[in-house]
Amino acid sequence: MKKDQFCLPDGVIYLDGNSLGPMPKTVSNRVQKTLTDEWGQLLISAWNKAGWFHQPERLGDRLAPVIGAPRGTVVLGDTLSIKVYQALAASLAMRPERSVILSDSGNFPTDLYMAEGLIKTIDRQLQLKVVSPEQVADHLDDTVAVMMLTQVDYRTGRLHDMASLTEKAHRAGVVAMWDLAHSAGALPIDLEGCNAEFAVGCTYKYLNAGPGSPAFIYTRADLAIEAEPALSGWMGHAAPFAFDPAYSPALSIQRMRVGTPPVLQMAALDAALDVWDDVSIHDIRKKSIELCELFIAEVEKQCPQLKLISPRDSAKRGSHVSFAFEHGYAAIQALIADGVVGDFRAPDVMRFGFTPLYIDHNDVIAAVEILENIMTNELWNNDKFKHQAAVT
Ligand SMILES: *Cc1c(COP(=O)(O)O)cnc(C)c1O
């Protein structure tokens, strides 16, 4: 438990760290230092003197152990949507004779949108094929160039077996690309062991680096100097400051960089990663399963109105739990008004994330007690809880 290391308002039980992690207390000092001592005093020399230029690779090496990746295979920058595009484009370039991008209907919409957009820019017959999560393995054949999946379903929490699907993909000659948005910082991942070619993810969910923090991209070690960067920006050039008019990618993971990195957000991420120096992701997973099991058992006992839509088997579930309820949006608003923060995903999903860094057994019991009161007394049935805001 590291609860005292996070900024959490009094009286709030925060079950939404799967969407936006809370702020680690060290972040504001660290960002302030970057502003005052680095930008403020060193001005442009901070790119060298404060190490800004190599931050994206340095933080990649810091993050690597949390996602089971070796040094030199991870780099930070841009947003996850952009990193999806890059990894997908690099995957397609590896299979020029194949025409299908295979994904599943549980994928996060932006991943599918980026695939659709990418297809339009490539002068080649390509098709995005979206099947149900259970059917992915059956569709791995020699027409498929790349299997693009998100390991943990953002809605239901269903967990794909990364090792087994990657192996099946490879047997069919398919490139494997994983989105780890709801996995990184939530459960152990063995990227190196599963042998996937590419992985991407964000750092503002379970990694607590704040809104707009940089995304990460992983390239298997043997591809780090081979993968074709689709977004060929100058920061990925072999020698950015040679200002060569012709593009030539760096002979390292640096080739997956695009433009100038968001230095302040990188500083926030650097501070947020301190948490992982003395925390084992295996312990986090074990405790997260205990919290999820407790929550499911208590909700099913006390709130018969809600229907579990997450897998019941903890081995097949990520670190959040979802229940369907017709008036889910209003119920979540009522919960938030009572200090329990979860979120809503259309059409009827109430979603709760369990992050043992700052959520414990007592929080779960207290949250269910509040939920039970709202359900039993239909406190959600109030106009003030029914107005849908821009972000749900
Ligand atoms: C959260 C999430 C995103 C968000 O992408 P951004 O570019 O950071 O807005 C994308 N894909 C998945 C699977 C996600 O869970």
Side-chain angles (χ1 to χ4, degrees), residues 79-82 107-108 110-111 150 154 179 181-182 202 204-205:
T79 70
L80 177 49
S81 302
I82 298 290
N107 209 341
F108 192 81
T110 202
D111 297 43
T150 295
Y154 74 103
D179 189 326
H182 286 273
C202 57
Y204 50 80
K205 291 174 179 161

Side-chain angles (χ1 to χ4, degrees), residues 127-265:
Q127 178 208 345
L128 172 63
K129 190 171 180 181
V130 179
V131 300
S132 75
E134 298 73 26
Q135 286 179 330
V136 172
D138 296 336
H139 285 83
L140 289 164
D141 58 35
D142 64 8
T143 64
V144 179
V146 50
M147 173 184 79
M148 173 184 77
L149 296 176
T150 295
Q151 189 191 14
V152 178
D153 185 310
Y154 74 103
R155 233 190 268 118
T156 63
R158 177 206 32 76
L159 177 66
H160 269 310
D161 184 336
M162 224 170 109
S164 149
L165 277 169
T166 301
E167 197 205 316
K168 285 180 183 146
H170 287 171
R171 244 187 275 141
V174 175
V175 175
M177 176 198 151
W178 289 96
D179 189 326
L180 304 176
H182 286 273
S183 313
L187 40 95
I189 302 159
D190 183 9
L191 264 179
E192 189 176 22
C194 91
N195 211 28
E197 282 86 347
F198 298 98
V200 294
C202 57
T203 60
Y204 50 80
K205 291 174 179 161
Y206 293 98
L207 295 168
N208 312 312
S213 60
F216 65 84
I217 184 164
Y218 160 87
T219 302
R220 201 174 65 194
D222 60 309
L223 299 172
I225 56 167
E226 252 175 48
E228 258 178 58
L231 297 173
S232 41
W234 73 306
M235 288 283 168
H237 193 280
F241 285 86
F243 295 105
D244 185 343
Y247 178 72
S248 164
L251 295 176
S252 72
I253 187 67
Q254 196 180 332
R255 65 173 51 200
M256 288 301 175
R257 289 177 59 166
V258 183
T260 302
V263 171
L264 298 178
Q265 297 274 189

Side-chain angles (χ1 to χ4, degrees), residues 246-299:
Y247 178 72
S248 164
L251 295 176
S252 72
I253 187 67
Q254 196 180 332
R255 65 173 51 200
M256 288 301 175
R257 289 177 59 166
V258 183
T260 302
V263 171
L264 298 178
Q265 297 274 189
M266 292 270 179
L269 172 62
D270 201 10
L273 287 175
D274 288 349
V275 171
W276 300 96
D277 287 347
D278 53 359
V279 162
S280 143
I281 189 74
H282 294 276
D283 281 350
I284 293 288
R285 174 65 171 158
K286 186 168 159 282
K287 288 187 192 141
S288 139
I289 289 174
E290 287 167 12
L291 296 175
C292 290
E293 302 275 83
L294 178 66
F295 186 74
I296 293 171
E298 289 299 315
V299 171

